[in-house]
Amino acid sequence: MLRALRPLFAVLVFAGCGPDVASESTPDLVSAPAALADSDRHGGASPREGSVRLSTGVTLRYVEQGRQDGPVVVFLHGYTDSHHTWDLDLPRFPRDFHLYALDQRGHGDSSRPACCYTQQAFAKDVVAFLDAKHVSRAVLVGHSMGSFIAQQVALDFPHRVKGLVLVGSAPTVAGNEVALGLKEIVDTLTDPVDPAFIHEFQASTFYAPIPASYLDTLVSESAKLPARVWQDALDGLIAEDHSARLGRIRVPTLIIGGDHDGFFSVEEQRALARAIPGSRYLLYPETGHAPHAERPQRFVNDVHHFLQRL
């Protein structure tokens, strides 16, 4: 099956020049446990894991950290990922914010219903999660698939969103050639999903070096998904096109992208910034589809500065 992957991943690797693995001692790539230990020595509670049954019928696993009375920030991961996509970031965030990182439906250790995996269904889960936690408004930080879900929440439930941080994003996935090429392969997947495919898929999204342990974690998390979730979640992404409504988003929005993103071109990223009134766009040099993982310290600094101004 891997031979069939070559044309698609040639596109991604050409854009990203292939994944590199960094030693854990690289300053910006300090391992999450070490960073967390250092952070906790300077005060603040350690992350807490939990699960909650939502009114939408799914049970979501999540990680929570920071002050209970702090401003709420909800992190939404990308396609086939889990809350672990933020492992290089959460330890660096000040503990004066109340952070939640979710495993969205079908992903991580959350439940995997037979239906549904549309952006609208994911968005309703986010609002149901806020309801369950008695949170009136939150800042949403979304990567890739998570960024489109964050957009959907802001469009369908604007009164629940205080601000947006959209990472590795664009106005839409509909018509995206890389996504359509990926769909041709994903539609052929059967259980268990080939571990070599998962590794190549995850590794192809990075341009800058990342820790080997981080990549291993992402691969392990993606391996939890059955083939039907790979297929249904991607179908849901491609099917929805709310780009014509983005001008209705009126909350402060920060857009962060990489200049070597193999999924969304710089022009697509800029189109998103033009579509959302008053948004701020940061383009990270020498960075691929995952700025939060490839440049974690800069990412946290930029997001923290954004949050402080809300």
Side-chain angles (χ1 to χ4, degrees), residues 133-200:
K133 294 299 179 181
H134 307 290
V135 175
S136 59
R137 299 175 73 212
V139 177
L140 304 182
V141 181
H143 170 240
S144 195
M145 181 186 82
S147 75
F148 296 102
I149 296 166
Q151 294 173 30
Q152 194 75 46
V153 176
L155 289 169
D156 294 348
F157 307 94
H159 59 291
R160 306 304 298 271
V161 179
K162 185 177 182 181
L164 293 173
V165 180
L166 308 176
V167 188
S169 193
T172 184
V173 186
N176 180 278
E177 292 184 0
V178 177
L180 293 173
L182 178 61
K183 174 177 166 55
E184 291 182 6
I185 300 167
V186 168
D187 282 350
T188 70
L189 296 180
T190 57
D191 293 320
V193 177
D194 186 345
F197 162 75
I198 296 174
H199 186 278
E200 192 161 1

Side-chain angles (χ1 to χ4, degrees), residues 82-281:
S82 72
H83 74 271
H84 284 291
T85 196
W86 309 106
D87 277 358
L88 302 177
D89 308 299
L90 296 186
R92 293 174 160 89
F93 270 96
R95 293 312 200 257
D96 51 350
F97 293 94
H98 192 173
L99 308 182
Y100 291 101
L102 311 185
D103 287 355
Q104 298 180 86
R105 66 165 59 205
H107 294 68
D109 293 323
S110 291
S111 58
R112 313 189 202 286
C115 177
C116 298
Y117 293 90
T118 63
Q119 289 185 43
Q120 291 87 352
F122 282 113
K124 289 177 181 176
D125 286 345
V126 174
V127 174
F129 180 83
L130 296 179
D131 289 343
K133 294 299 179 181
H134 307 290
V135 175
S136 59
R137 299 175 73 212
V139 177
L140 304 182
V141 181
H143 170 240
S144 195
M145 181 186 82
S147 75
F148 296 102
I149 296 166
Q151 294 173 30
Q152 194 75 46
V153 176
L155 289 169
D156 294 348
F157 307 94
H159 59 291
R160 306 304 298 271
V161 179
K162 185 177 182 181
L164 293 173
V165 180
L166 308 176
V167 188
S169 193
T172 184
V173 186
N176 180 278
E177 292 184 0
V178 177
L180 293 173
L182 178 61
K183 174 177 166 55
E184 291 182 6
I185 300 167
V186 168
D187 282 350
T188 70
L189 296 180
T190 57
D191 293 320
V193 177
D194 186 345
F197 162 75
I198 296 174
H199 186 278
E200 192 161 1
F201 167 73
Q202 284 286 2
S204 69
T205 64
F206 302 106
Y207 180 83
I210 57 168
S213 59
Y214 177 76
L215 178 58
D216 289 344
T217 296
L218 296 186
V219 171
S220 297
E221 291 298 295
S222 290
K224 294 177 179 179
L225 276 63
R228 65 175 177 84
V229 175
W230 281 79
Q231 294 155 358
D232 291 349
L234 185 56
D235 286 347
L237 271 175
I238 294 172
E240 170 66 21
D241 183 358
H242 54 234
S243 57
R245 296 196 291 145
L246 290 173
R248 301 178 188 177
I249 294 177
R250 299 298 180 182
V251 296
T253 301
L254 175 63
I255 299 166
I256 300 177
D259 64 349
H260 286 78
D261 189 325
F263 282 93
F264 302 119
S265 67
V266 172
E267 179 50 38
E268 287 175 290
Q269 298 171 40
R270 287 176 173 157
L272 176 63
R274 290 193 299 268
I276 300 178
S279 62
R280 184 185 181 200
Y281 172 46

